[in-house]
Amino acid sequence: MSNLYLDTRGYCTEPVSFTEAVVKGLADGGGLFVPQNLPSLTLEEIVALADKPYAQRAAEIYKRFDIDIPDETIDALMDDAYGAQFDSEDICPITSLDENTHIMELWHGPTAAFKDMALQCLPRFFSASTKLLIERGKLDHQFMILVATSGDTGKAALEGFCDVDGVSIGVMYPDGGVSDIQYKQMATQRGKNARVWAVKGNFDDCQSGVKAVFSDEKFAAKLLADHKLALSSANSINWGRLLPQVVYYISGYAKLVVKGAVKAGDPIDVCVPTGNFGNILAAWYAKQMGTPIENLICASNTNRVLTDFIETGTYDISDREFVLTPSPSMDILISSNLERQLFELSGRNAQAVAQWQADLKDKRCFTVDAETLARVQETFKAGSTDDEACLATIKEVFDQFNYLLDPHTAVAYRVANEQRGANPLLIASTAHWAKFGENVYRGLHGLAAKDALPEDIAALSGCELNRFIAKEINNPYIPKGLDELDELPIRFTEVIDSSIETMEECALDFARAI
Protein backbone atom coordinates (compact mmCIF):
# COMPACT_ATOMS: atom_id res chain seq x y z
CA MET A 1 0.00 0.00 0.00
CA SER A 2 1.20 3.53 -0.78
CA ASN A 3 2.30 5.88 1.98
CA LEU A 4 -0.68 7.80 3.42
CA TYR A 5 -0.99 11.33 4.78
CA LEU A 6 -2.22 12.53 8.18
CA ASP A 7 -4.01 15.74 9.20
CA THR A 8 -1.99 17.85 11.67
CA ARG A 9 -5.18 18.78 13.56
CA GLY A 10 -6.71 15.32 13.55
CA TYR A 11 -10.08 16.28 12.11
CA CYS A 12 -9.61 13.98 9.11
CA THR A 13 -9.85 10.61 10.83
CA GLU A 14 -8.92 8.66 7.69
CA PRO A 15 -5.47 9.24 6.16
CA VAL A 16 -5.43 10.18 2.48
CA SER A 17 -3.18 9.24 -0.44
CA PHE A 18 -0.48 11.48 -1.90
CA THR A 19 -2.66 12.32 -4.90
CA GLU A 20 -5.56 13.27 -2.63
CA ALA A 21 -3.31 15.38 -0.38
CA VAL A 22 -1.97 17.26 -3.42
CA VAL A 23 -5.33 18.09 -4.97
CA LYS A 24 -6.98 18.98 -1.63
CA GLY A 25 -4.10 21.18 -0.45
CA LEU A 26 -5.63 21.73 3.00
CA ALA A 27 -7.23 19.09 5.18
CA ASP A 28 -10.87 19.55 6.17
CA GLY A 29 -10.87 21.79 9.23
CA GLY A 30 -7.78 23.72 8.14
CA GLY A 31 -5.04 21.29 9.07
CA LEU A 32 -2.04 20.37 6.91
CA PHE A 33 -1.07 16.99 5.51
CA VAL A 34 2.11 15.20 6.56
CA PRO A 35 3.36 11.75 5.47
CA GLN A 36 2.45 8.91 7.80
CA ASN A 37 5.90 7.43 7.31
CA LEU A 38 9.17 9.15 6.45
CA PRO A 39 11.62 7.19 4.27
CA SER A 40 15.30 7.06 5.13
CA LEU A 41 18.41 7.21 2.96
CA THR A 42 21.84 5.86 3.78
CA LEU A 43 24.84 8.14 3.49
CA GLU A 44 26.00 6.18 0.46
CA GLU A 45 22.61 6.62 -1.22
CA ILE A 46 22.64 10.36 -0.56
CA VAL A 47 26.14 10.88 -1.95
CA ALA A 48 25.36 8.73 -5.01
CA LEU A 49 22.57 11.13 -5.97
CA ALA A 50 25.16 13.69 -7.06
CA ASP A 51 26.11 11.48 -10.01
CA LYS A 52 22.61 11.80 -11.48
CA PRO A 53 20.94 14.73 -13.25
CA TYR A 54 18.80 16.79 -10.87
CA ALA A 55 15.52 15.46 -12.31
CA GLN A 56 16.61 11.91 -11.53
CA ARG A 57 17.60 12.90 -7.99
CA ALA A 58 14.13 14.33 -7.47
CA ALA A 59 12.43 11.27 -8.96
CA GLU A 60 14.46 8.93 -6.74
CA ILE A 61 13.45 10.79 -3.57
CA TYR A 62 9.77 10.92 -4.61
CA LYS A 63 9.77 7.18 -5.16
CA ARG A 64 11.13 6.66 -1.65
CA PHE A 65 7.93 8.27 -0.35
CA ASP A 66 6.00 5.45 -2.05
CA ILE A 67 3.48 7.82 -3.64
CA ASP A 68 0.51 6.48 -5.58
CA ILE A 69 1.80 7.58 -9.00
CA PRO A 70 3.58 5.08 -11.30
CA ASP A 71 7.38 5.26 -11.31
CA GLU A 72 7.57 5.89 -15.05
CA THR A 73 5.15 8.81 -14.66
CA ILE A 74 7.28 10.27 -11.87
CA ASP A 75 10.35 10.06 -14.11
CA ALA A 76 8.59 11.82 -16.98
CA LEU A 77 7.13 14.55 -14.77
CA MET A 78 10.52 15.31 -13.20
CA ASP A 79 12.23 15.44 -16.60
CA ASP A 80 9.63 17.99 -17.64
CA ALA A 81 9.80 19.99 -14.39
CA TYR A 82 13.59 20.39 -14.30
CA GLY A 83 14.49 21.05 -17.90
CA ALA A 84 15.30 23.86 -20.28
CA GLN A 85 13.26 26.44 -18.34
CA PHE A 86 16.16 26.57 -15.85
CA ASP A 87 19.20 28.58 -16.91
CA SER A 88 21.68 26.22 -15.25
CA GLU A 89 22.14 22.52 -15.97
CA ASP A 90 22.80 22.07 -12.25
CA ILE A 91 19.28 23.49 -11.60
CA CYS A 92 20.40 24.80 -8.19
CA PRO A 93 24.19 25.27 -8.37
CA ILE A 94 26.29 25.90 -5.27
CA THR A 95 28.72 28.84 -5.15
CA SER A 96 31.40 28.70 -2.45
CA LEU A 97 32.37 32.08 -1.00
CA ASP A 98 35.14 30.49 1.05
CA GLU A 99 36.00 26.95 2.10
CA ASN A 100 33.33 26.89 4.80
CA THR A 101 30.53 29.10 3.39
CA HIS A 102 28.43 27.90 0.50
CA ILE A 103 25.48 29.52 -1.28
CA MET A 104 22.85 27.23 -2.79
CA GLU A 105 21.33 29.26 -5.63
CA LEU A 106 17.67 28.31 -5.81
CA TRP A 107 16.71 31.01 -8.30
CA HIS A 108 17.70 29.69 -11.72
CA GLY A 109 14.12 28.91 -12.77
CA PRO A 110 11.78 30.98 -14.96
CA THR A 111 10.75 33.52 -12.29
CA ALA A 112 14.21 33.90 -10.65
CA ALA A 113 13.00 32.81 -7.20
CA PHE A 114 13.34 29.65 -5.14
CA LYS A 115 9.61 28.99 -5.49
CA ASP A 116 10.30 27.72 -9.03
CA MET A 117 12.04 24.70 -7.54
CA ALA A 118 8.65 23.55 -6.24
CA LEU A 119 6.26 25.30 -8.59
CA GLN A 120 7.66 23.80 -11.76
CA CYS A 121 7.06 20.46 -10.07
CA LEU A 122 3.72 20.82 -8.23
CA PRO A 123 1.52 21.74 -11.24
CA ARG A 124 2.69 18.67 -13.14
CA PHE A 125 2.01 16.40 -10.19
CA PHE A 126 -1.28 18.17 -9.50
CA SER A 127 -2.46 17.51 -13.05
CA ALA A 128 -1.28 13.89 -12.94
CA SER A 129 -2.96 13.38 -9.56
CA THR A 130 -6.23 14.81 -10.86
CA LYS A 131 -6.23 12.46 -13.85
CA LEU A 132 -5.48 9.43 -11.67
CA LEU A 133 -8.23 10.30 -9.19
CA ILE A 134 -10.73 10.70 -12.04
CA GLU A 135 -9.70 7.29 -13.38
CA ARG A 136 -10.18 5.82 -9.90
CA GLY A 137 -13.66 7.29 -9.64
CA LYS A 138 -12.73 9.61 -6.76
CA LEU A 139 -13.07 12.90 -8.63
CA ASP A 140 -15.54 14.47 -11.07
CA HIS A 141 -14.68 18.19 -11.06
CA GLN A 142 -11.92 20.65 -11.90
CA PHE A 143 -9.94 22.96 -9.65
CA MET A 144 -9.34 26.61 -8.87
CA ILE A 145 -5.96 27.26 -7.25
CA LEU A 146 -6.21 30.23 -4.89
CA VAL A 147 -2.93 31.65 -3.61
CA ALA A 148 -1.93 34.36 -1.15
CA THR A 149 1.59 35.59 -1.86
CA SER A 150 4.16 37.89 -0.31
CA GLY A 151 5.70 38.23 -3.75
CA ASP A 152 7.53 35.20 -5.12
CA THR A 153 5.03 32.35 -4.72
CA GLY A 154 2.41 34.19 -6.76
CA LYS A 155 4.45 34.55 -9.93
CA ALA A 156 5.97 31.09 -9.62
CA ALA A 157 2.51 29.55 -9.20
CA LEU A 158 1.11 31.56 -12.11
CA GLU A 159 3.97 30.44 -14.32
CA GLY A 160 3.74 26.83 -13.23
CA PHE A 161 -0.02 26.53 -13.74
CA CYS A 162 -0.20 28.70 -16.87
CA ASP A 163 -2.69 27.10 -19.28
CA VAL A 164 -2.65 23.76 -17.44
CA ASP A 165 -5.77 21.83 -18.49
CA GLY A 166 -8.52 21.57 -15.89
CA VAL A 167 -6.98 24.11 -13.50
CA SER A 168 -7.45 27.86 -13.07
CA ILE A 169 -5.29 29.97 -10.79
CA GLY A 170 -6.02 33.17 -8.86
CA VAL A 171 -3.35 35.05 -6.92
CA MET A 172 -3.75 37.73 -4.24
CA TYR A 173 -0.84 39.91 -3.08
CA PRO A 174 -0.57 42.88 -0.66
CA ASP A 175 -1.04 46.15 -2.54
CA GLY A 176 2.21 48.11 -2.25
CA GLY A 177 3.85 45.26 -0.34
CA VAL A 178 5.88 43.73 -3.18
CA SER A 179 8.76 45.06 -5.27
CA ASP A 180 8.17 46.77 -8.62
CA ILE A 181 9.61 43.74 -10.40
CA GLN A 182 7.41 41.33 -8.42
CA TYR A 183 4.34 43.43 -9.20
CA LYS A 184 5.10 43.50 -12.92
CA GLN A 185 5.80 39.77 -12.98
CA MET A 186 2.29 39.08 -11.68
CA ALA A 187 0.43 41.90 -13.41
CA THR A 188 1.76 40.88 -16.84
CA GLN A 189 1.08 37.16 -16.44
CA ARG A 190 -0.07 35.46 -19.62
CA GLY A 191 -2.53 32.58 -19.77
CA LYS A 192 -6.29 32.19 -20.15
CA ASN A 193 -6.64 30.48 -16.78
CA ALA A 194 -5.01 33.20 -14.61
CA ARG A 195 -6.32 36.10 -12.52
CA VAL A 196 -4.45 38.44 -10.13
CA TRP A 197 -5.74 40.82 -7.46
CA ALA A 198 -3.94 43.36 -5.26
CA VAL A 199 -5.33 43.35 -1.71
CA LYS A 200 -5.49 46.35 0.63
CA GLY A 201 -3.39 45.48 3.67
CA ASN A 202 -0.37 43.29 4.30
CA PHE A 203 0.48 39.68 3.51
CA ASP A 204 -1.13 38.37 6.68
CA ASP A 205 -4.39 40.05 5.60
CA CYS A 206 -4.11 38.21 2.25
CA GLN A 207 -3.22 34.89 3.82
CA SER A 208 -5.87 35.07 6.55
CA GLY A 209 -8.54 35.98 4.00
CA VAL A 210 -7.60 33.15 1.64
CA LYS A 211 -7.55 30.68 4.54
CA ALA A 212 -11.02 31.86 5.54
CA VAL A 213 -12.27 31.27 1.99
CA PHE A 214 -10.88 27.73 2.11
CA SER A 215 -12.65 27.12 5.43
CA ASP A 216 -16.06 28.36 4.22
CA GLU A 217 -18.05 25.17 3.56
CA LYS A 218 -21.03 27.05 2.09
CA PHE A 219 -18.81 28.78 -0.43
CA ALA A 220 -17.15 25.50 -1.36
CA ALA A 221 -20.55 23.91 -1.92
CA LYS A 222 -21.68 26.81 -4.12
CA LEU A 223 -18.49 26.76 -6.19
CA LEU A 224 -18.85 23.03 -6.73
CA ALA A 225 -22.60 23.10 -7.47
CA ASP A 226 -22.59 26.12 -9.79
CA HIS A 227 -19.22 25.73 -11.52
CA LYS A 228 -18.00 22.16 -10.90
CA LEU A 229 -14.90 23.64 -9.26
CA ALA A 230 -13.14 22.93 -5.97
CA LEU A 231 -10.47 25.07 -4.32
CA SER A 232 -6.91 23.93 -3.85
CA SER A 233 -3.63 25.57 -2.88
CA ALA A 234 -0.18 26.10 -4.35
CA ASN A 235 1.26 27.67 -1.19
CA SER A 236 3.68 25.64 0.88
CA ILE A 237 0.69 24.52 2.95
CA ASN A 238 0.32 21.99 0.09
CA TRP A 239 2.54 18.95 0.66
CA GLY A 240 3.12 18.86 -3.10
CA ARG A 241 4.87 22.23 -2.71
CA LEU A 242 6.96 21.15 0.24
CA LEU A 243 8.29 17.80 -0.99
CA PRO A 244 10.29 19.29 -3.92
CA GLN A 245 12.05 21.52 -1.39
CA VAL A 246 13.16 18.49 0.62
CA VAL A 247 14.90 17.29 -2.53
CA TYR A 248 17.26 20.22 -2.89
CA TYR A 249 18.61 19.97 0.66
CA ILE A 250 19.44 16.29 0.19
CA SER A 251 20.88 17.13 -3.22
CA GLY A 252 22.84 20.07 -1.79
CA TYR A 253 24.63 17.89 0.74
CA ALA A 254 25.51 15.36 -1.97
CA LYS A 255 26.95 18.12 -4.18
CA LEU A 256 29.05 19.51 -1.32
CA VAL A 257 30.58 16.06 -0.77
CA VAL A 258 31.33 15.56 -4.47
CA LYS A 259 32.97 18.99 -4.81
CA GLY A 260 35.16 18.23 -1.78
CA ALA A 261 33.66 20.91 0.46
CA VAL A 262 32.45 18.35 3.02
CA LYS A 263 33.74 14.93 3.99
CA ALA A 264 30.99 12.31 3.57
CA GLY A 265 29.25 11.87 6.89
CA ASP A 266 30.44 15.15 8.41
CA PRO A 267 27.59 17.46 9.42
CA ILE A 268 26.73 20.80 7.89
CA ASP A 269 24.61 23.67 9.18
CA VAL A 270 21.87 25.12 7.00
CA CYS A 271 20.62 28.72 7.17
CA VAL A 272 17.32 29.72 5.56
CA PRO A 273 15.76 33.20 5.29
CA THR A 274 12.41 32.34 6.77
CA GLY A 275 8.88 33.69 6.42
CA ASN A 276 6.21 31.00 6.09
CA PHE A 277 8.55 28.29 7.49
CA GLY A 278 8.16 25.91 4.55
CA ASN A 279 11.71 26.21 3.23
CA ILE A 280 13.40 25.53 6.55
CA LEU A 281 10.89 22.80 7.38
CA ALA A 282 11.96 21.04 4.17
CA ALA A 283 15.54 21.06 5.49
CA TRP A 284 14.29 19.50 8.73
CA TYR A 285 12.60 16.69 6.78
CA ALA A 286 15.81 16.18 4.81
CA LYS A 287 17.63 15.81 8.13
CA GLN A 288 15.11 13.24 9.39
CA MET A 289 15.66 11.22 6.22
CA GLY A 290 19.37 10.89 6.93
CA THR A 291 21.05 14.02 5.55
CA PRO A 292 23.88 15.00 7.94
CA ILE A 293 22.52 18.40 8.95
CA GLU A 294 23.27 19.47 12.52
CA ASN A 295 21.86 22.95 13.06
CA LEU A 296 19.03 24.64 11.21
CA ILE A 297 19.43 28.41 11.45
CA CYS A 298 16.18 30.33 11.09
CA ALA A 299 16.94 33.85 9.81
CA SER A 300 14.33 36.57 10.33
CA ASN A 301 14.16 40.22 9.37
CA THR A 302 12.56 42.85 11.61
CA ASN A 303 9.37 40.76 11.63
CA ARG A 304 11.10 38.37 14.05
CA VAL A 305 8.12 36.38 15.30
CA LEU A 306 9.83 33.05 14.48
CA THR A 307 13.06 34.03 16.21
CA ASP A 308 11.12 35.00 19.32
CA PHE A 309 9.17 31.74 19.21
CA ILE A 310 12.28 29.57 18.91
CA GLU A 311 13.89 31.44 21.79
CA THR A 312 10.85 31.44 24.11
CA GLY A 313 8.24 28.91 22.99
CA THR A 314 5.61 31.65 22.79
CA TYR A 315 4.19 32.70 19.43
CA ASP A 316 2.66 36.11 20.06
CA ILE A 317 1.32 38.47 17.41
CA SER A 318 -1.32 40.04 19.66
CA ASP A 319 0.51 43.36 19.85
CA ARG A 320 3.17 42.98 17.19
CA GLU A 321 3.55 45.56 14.44
CA PHE A 322 3.80 44.30 10.88
CA VAL A 323 6.84 45.97 9.34
CA LEU A 324 7.60 46.42 5.64
CA THR A 325 11.27 45.68 5.02
CA PRO A 326 13.76 45.41 2.13
CA SER A 327 13.12 41.63 2.21
CA PRO A 328 9.36 41.63 1.53
CA SER A 329 8.91 37.90 0.97
CA MET A 330 9.77 37.46 4.67
CA ASP A 331 7.33 40.10 5.86
CA ILE A 332 5.04 37.56 7.48
CA LEU A 333 3.69 37.23 11.01
CA ILE A 334 1.63 34.04 10.64
CA SER A 335 3.98 31.27 9.53
CA SER A 336 1.66 28.55 8.31
CA ASN A 337 4.19 25.72 8.03
CA LEU A 338 5.21 26.01 11.66
CA GLU A 339 2.08 23.93 12.27
CA ARG A 340 3.67 20.95 10.54
CA GLN A 341 6.85 21.37 12.54
CA LEU A 342 4.96 21.52 15.83
CA PHE A 343 3.01 18.42 14.87
CA GLU A 344 6.27 16.55 14.34
CA LEU A 345 8.08 17.89 17.43
CA SER A 346 5.12 17.40 19.78
CA GLY A 347 5.11 13.69 19.06
CA ARG A 348 2.45 14.14 16.38
CA ASN A 349 -0.01 15.43 18.97
CA ALA A 350 -2.87 16.60 16.74
CA GLN A 351 -4.98 17.68 19.71
CA ALA A 352 -2.26 20.01 20.97
CA VAL A 353 -1.68 21.43 17.49
CA ALA A 354 -5.39 22.08 17.00
CA GLN A 355 -5.52 23.94 20.32
CA TRP A 356 -2.43 26.03 19.54
CA GLN A 357 -3.91 27.00 16.19
CA ALA A 358 -7.24 27.85 17.79
CA ASP A 359 -5.43 30.03 20.34
CA LEU A 360 -3.53 31.77 17.55
CA LYS A 361 -6.79 32.51 15.74
CA ASP A 362 -8.73 33.63 18.83
CA LYS A 363 -6.05 35.14 21.08
CA ARG A 364 -3.31 35.86 18.52
CA CYS A 365 -0.94 33.98 20.79
CA PHE A 366 -0.01 30.48 21.94
CA THR A 367 2.69 28.84 24.06
CA VAL A 368 3.96 25.31 23.54
CA ASP A 369 4.79 22.93 26.37
CA ALA A 370 8.32 22.66 27.74
CA GLU A 371 9.05 19.30 26.10
CA THR A 372 8.09 20.54 22.63
CA LEU A 373 10.14 23.71 23.11
CA ALA A 374 13.16 21.64 24.12
CA ARG A 375 12.85 19.65 20.89
CA VAL A 376 12.61 22.87 18.87
CA GLN A 377 15.74 24.25 20.49
CA GLU A 378 17.67 21.00 20.00
CA THR A 379 17.63 21.53 16.24
CA PHE A 380 16.93 25.20 15.55
CA LYS A 381 19.01 28.28 16.11
CA ALA A 382 17.49 31.63 15.30
CA GLY A 383 18.40 35.25 14.83
CA SER A 384 17.17 38.40 13.13
CA THR A 385 18.67 41.43 11.50
CA ASP A 386 17.31 44.90 10.91
CA ASP A 387 16.96 46.74 7.62
CA GLU A 388 20.22 48.64 7.82
CA ALA A 389 22.28 45.56 8.65
CA CYS A 390 20.61 43.72 5.77
CA LEU A 391 21.56 46.41 3.28
CA ALA A 392 25.06 46.77 4.71
CA THR A 393 25.57 43.02 4.27
CA ILE A 394 24.86 43.30 0.54
CA LYS A 395 27.80 45.69 0.15
CA GLU A 396 30.08 43.78 2.56
CA VAL A 397 29.65 40.50 0.70
CA PHE A 398 30.04 42.13 -2.70
CA ASP A 399 33.20 43.98 -1.63
CA GLN A 400 34.72 40.84 -0.10
CA PHE A 401 33.66 38.15 -2.56
CA ASN A 402 32.46 40.00 -5.69
CA TYR A 403 29.13 38.23 -5.19
CA LEU A 404 25.82 40.08 -5.13
CA LEU A 405 23.11 38.92 -2.69
CA ASP A 406 19.44 39.78 -2.81
CA PRO A 407 18.08 41.24 0.48
CA HIS A 408 16.57 37.92 1.68
CA THR A 409 19.84 36.04 1.24
CA ALA A 410 21.62 38.98 2.89
CA VAL A 411 19.45 38.48 5.98
CA ALA A 412 20.40 34.80 5.98
CA TYR A 413 24.10 35.52 5.51
CA ARG A 414 24.14 38.02 8.38
CA VAL A 415 22.28 35.77 10.81
CA ALA A 416 24.26 32.70 9.74
CA ASN A 417 27.54 34.37 10.59
CA GLU A 418 26.20 35.33 14.01
CA GLN A 419 24.85 31.85 14.79
CA ARG A 420 27.21 29.47 13.01
CA GLY A 421 29.61 27.09 14.66
CA ALA A 422 32.50 25.13 13.18
CA ASN A 423 30.47 23.15 10.63
CA PRO A 424 30.48 24.03 6.94
CA LEU A 425 27.53 26.29 6.24
CA LEU A 426 24.99 26.03 3.42
CA ILE A 427 22.90 29.17 2.91
CA ALA A 428 19.69 28.97 0.91
CA SER A 429 19.72 31.83 -1.61
CA THR A 430 16.11 32.46 -2.45
CA ALA A 431 16.08 35.05 -5.24
CA HIS A 432 18.20 36.69 -7.91
CA TRP A 433 19.20 40.18 -6.82
CA ALA A 434 17.42 41.79 -9.79
CA LYS A 435 14.02 41.07 -8.24
CA PHE A 436 14.85 43.71 -5.63
CA GLY A 437 16.95 46.23 -7.53
CA GLU A 438 15.98 49.31 -5.52
CA ASN A 439 17.17 47.89 -2.21
CA VAL A 440 20.21 46.27 -3.79
CA TYR A 441 21.14 49.73 -5.11
CA ARG A 442 20.64 51.17 -1.60
CA GLY A 443 22.88 48.48 -0.18
CA LEU A 444 25.67 48.96 -2.71
CA HIS A 445 25.60 52.75 -2.28
CA GLY A 446 25.33 52.93 1.51
CA LEU A 447 21.80 54.28 1.61
CA ALA A 448 19.39 53.52 4.45
CA ALA A 449 16.22 51.55 3.78
CA LYS A 450 14.03 54.63 4.11
CA ASP A 451 16.32 56.91 2.08
CA ALA A 452 14.91 58.16 -1.19
CA LEU A 453 16.81 57.06 -4.25
CA PRO A 454 18.70 59.77 -6.16
CA GLU A 455 16.36 61.54 -8.54
CA ASP A 456 17.92 60.12 -11.69
CA ILE A 457 17.83 56.58 -10.25
CA ALA A 458 14.26 56.90 -8.99
CA ALA A 459 13.17 57.85 -12.51
CA LEU A 460 14.28 54.47 -13.85
CA SER A 461 11.89 51.55 -14.18
CA GLY A 462 12.78 48.36 -12.32
CA CYS A 463 14.24 46.83 -15.47
CA GLU A 464 16.27 49.95 -16.28
CA LEU A 465 17.61 50.09 -12.74
CA ASN A 466 18.68 46.46 -12.92
CA ARG A 467 20.60 47.13 -16.11
CA PHE A 468 22.25 50.13 -14.45
CA ILE A 469 23.34 47.99 -11.48
CA ALA A 470 24.54 45.18 -13.75
CA LYS A 471 26.75 47.66 -15.60
CA GLU A 472 28.06 49.09 -12.32
CA ILE A 473 29.13 45.69 -11.03
CA ASN A 474 30.43 44.57 -14.44
CA ASN A 475 28.10 41.57 -14.56
CA PRO A 476 25.58 41.92 -17.38
CA TYR A 477 23.54 38.77 -16.58
CA ILE A 478 19.90 39.45 -15.72
CA PRO A 479 17.37 36.61 -16.11
CA LYS A 480 15.28 37.09 -19.26
CA GLY A 481 12.04 36.81 -17.33
CA LEU A 482 13.00 39.89 -15.32
CA ASP A 483 14.61 41.90 -18.10
CA GLU A 484 11.64 41.80 -20.48
CA LEU A 485 8.94 43.06 -18.09
CA ASP A 486 8.82 46.66 -19.35
CA GLU A 487 7.84 45.39 -22.80
CA LEU A 488 4.92 43.26 -21.57
CA PRO A 489 1.35 44.59 -21.25
CA ILE A 490 -0.14 45.02 -17.77
CA ARG A 491 -3.18 42.70 -17.60
CA PHE A 492 -4.28 42.92 -13.96
CA THR A 493 -4.86 46.16 -12.05
CA GLU A 494 -7.78 45.43 -9.71
CA VAL A 495 -7.35 46.35 -6.02
CA ILE A 496 -9.76 44.74 -3.53
CA ASP A 497 -10.31 44.78 0.22
CA SER A 498 -9.30 41.81 2.37
CA SER A 499 -12.75 40.72 3.54
CA ILE A 500 -13.78 37.13 2.96
CA GLU A 501 -16.92 38.35 1.19
CA THR A 502 -14.90 40.32 -1.37
CA MET A 503 -12.44 37.51 -1.94
CA GLU A 504 -15.24 35.00 -2.47
CA GLU A 505 -17.03 37.28 -4.92
CA CYS A 506 -13.77 37.71 -6.87
CA ALA A 507 -13.36 33.94 -7.01
CA LEU A 508 -16.94 33.54 -8.23
CA ASP A 509 -16.45 36.20 -10.92
CA PHE A 510 -13.36 34.34 -12.03
CA ALA A 511 -15.26 31.05 -12.10
CA ARG A 512 -17.99 32.57 -14.27
CA ALA A 513 -15.38 33.80 -16.74
CA ILE A 514 -13.55 30.49 -17.13
Side-chain angles (χ1 to χ4, degrees), residues 104-134:
M104 183 162 62
E105 296 174 351
L106 299 171
W107 38 259
H108 286 272
T111 77
F114 81 103
K115 306 296 175 75
D116 290 326
M117 295 296 299
L119 282 165
Q120 286 298 300
C121 187
L122 170 61
R124 291 164 170 83
F125 278 84
F126 191 101
S127 181
S129 296
T130 300
K131 292 175 183 175
L132 287 169
L133 290 172
I134 290 172

Side-chain angles (χ1 to χ4, degrees), residues 40-49 64 250 289-292:
S40 61
L41 295 166
T42 67
L43 179 62
E44 292 74 16
E45 289 171 333
I46 290 171
V47 174
L49 290 172
R64 293 301 184 99
I250 300 173
M289 292 171 64
T291 309

Side-chain angles (χ1 to χ4, degrees), residues 222-351:
K222 179 176 178 59
L223 195 64
L224 188 60
D226 293 353
H227 303 286
K228 298 289 285 183
L229 287 172
L231 291 177
S232 190
S233 173
N235 286 85
S236 55
I237 55 177
N238 190 315
W239 178 254
R241 252 287 306 276
L242 193 64
L243 183 52
Q245 296 178 276
V246 177
V247 172
Y248 55 68
Y249 287 108
I250 300 173
S251 170
Y253 184 85
K255 293 292 287 185
L256 286 174
V257 171
V258 167
K259 71 184 296 188
V262 177
K263 181 181 177 183
D266 285 354
I268 64 171
D269 293 342
V270 171
C271 184
V272 185
T274 310
N276 222 13
F277 210 79
N279 202 356
I280 198 166
L281 174 61
W284 183 86
Y285 276 117
K287 178 178 180 176
Q288 305 317 300
M289 292 171 64
T291 309
I293 297 170
E294 185 170 355
N295 297 301
L296 292 170
I297 303 171
C298 177
S300 300
N301 60 20
T302 305
N303 295 293
R304 47 171 287 143
V305 62
L306 285 167
T307 297
D308 290 340
F309 170 74
I310 290 169
E311 292 177 349
T312 68
T314 294
Y315 196 103
D316 188 355
I317 57 173
S318 59
D319 192 32
R320 187 183 293 267
E321 181 185 5
F322 184 100
V323 182
L324 295 176
T325 74
S327 48
S329 295
M330 300 164 65
D331 292 344
I332 295 172
L333 295 184
I334 301 175
S335 297
S336 294
N337 261 295
L338 183 62
E339 177 172 340
R340 276 192 177 102
Q341 188 68 84
L342 293 178
F343 179 76
E344 300 288 7
L345 295 180
S346 66
R348 297 195 156 189
N349 187 338
Q351 184 177 1

Side-chain angles (χ1 to χ4, degrees), residues 24 99 101 184 207 212 245 269-270 313 338 348 403 406 408 432 445 496:
K24 284 175 69 68
E99 64 179 13
T101 306
K184 287 178 179 174
Q207 181 167 249
Q245 296 178 276
D269 293 342
V270 171
L338 183 62
R348 297 195 156 189
Y403 187 86
D406 86 287
H408 305 77
H432 188 276
H445 290 266
I496 65 173

Side-chain angles (χ1 to χ4, degrees), residues 5-15 27-34 339 343 348-355 357:
Y5 289 76
L6 307 174
D7 168 15
T8 53
R9 301 185 191 181
Y11 298 132
C12 294
T13 55
E14 293 295 325
D28 296 336
L32 308 183
F33 290 115
V34 297
E339 177 172 340
F343 179 76
R348 297 195 156 189
N349 187 338
Q351 184 177 1
V353 171
Q355 185 60 58
Q357 293 303 311

Side-chain angles (χ1 to χ4, degrees), residues 11 20 36 57 75 77 106 136 147 195 241 276-277 280 290 296 322 334 358 408 433 435 446 454 474:
Y11 298 132
E20 290 170 312
Q36 195 168 46
R57 288 176 228 162
D75 291 336
L77 293 173
L106 299 171
R136 295 166 188 165
V147 175
R195 188 72 63 89
R241 252 287 306 276
N276 222 13
F277 210 79
I280 198 166
L296 292 170
F322 184 100
I334 301 175
H408 305 77
W433 65 262
K435 295 201 76 166
N474 196 29

